[in-house]
Amino acid sequence: QVHLVESGGGSVQAGGSLRLSCVASKYARCMAWFRQAPGKEREGVASAAGNYGRASAPSVKDRFTISKDNRNLYLQMDTLKPEDTAVYYCAAQTDPTCSSSLNQASYKYWGQGTQVTVSS
């Protein structure tokens, strides 16, 4: 069992920045950020596997940066837009063969989420 706790969400104006953090109760090779906006399905934002495997959604690729350090996962979000407003979730997978993925089915453990609100 892996417990995940997210932090760093909040309210910011368009063009601003936020940094999300997620701490896992034990090491997980693969971790990722997902988000769910009101009335929309949950979508993958960025993922990290091991020390080098990285992937990000086209909508955030030039604005968000994911980083991973042992049990910690971060998401630096710059040039935020109102459409980035959502609950952001941290996800993890401890399978040693996992690879970086934006597919929800690839992750077994999920955090409770942190709200990010971007106003215009």
Side-chain angles (χ1 to χ4, degrees):
Q1 188 76 11
V2 178
H3 295 285
L4 303 171
V5 179
E6 305 100 334
S7 62
S11 297
V12 64
Q13 290 190 330
S17 298
L18 283 173
R19 180 177 171 85
L20 303 183
S21 299
C22 173
V23 58
S25 58
K26 65 180 183 181
Y27 177 77
R29 169 175 162 73
C30 296
M31 299 180 74
W33 290 101
F34 289 79
R35 67 185 181 186
Q36 188 167 19
K40 295 187 177 181
E41 294 186 355
R42 190 176 296 185
E43 63 175 357
V45 176
S47 61
N51 293 327
Y52 302 106
R54 302 289 183 267
S56 58
S59 60
V60 306
K61 192 169 186 177
D62 296 327
R63 302 183 294 118
F64 292 7
T65 303
I66 191 170
S67 58
K68 185 177 183 292
D69 176 14
N70 195 9
R71 295 185 295 115
N72 300 300
L73 186 72
Y74 306 98
L75 187 68
Q76 177 65 41
M77 305 186 295
D78 298 317
T79 320
L80 282 160
K81 303 176 180 180
E83 50 263 44
D84 295 319
T85 295
V87 177
Y88 284 70
Y89 298 91
C90 177
Q93 171 61 265
T94 56
D95 184 341
T97 67
C98 68
S99 58
S100 188
S101 172
L102 297 180
N103 186 336
Q104 297 183 58
S106 298
Y107 300 91
K108 184 175 181 179
Y109 304 103
W110 293 82
Q112 293 299 308
T114 185
Q115 176 71 46
V116 171
T117 302
V118 184
S119 59
S120 57

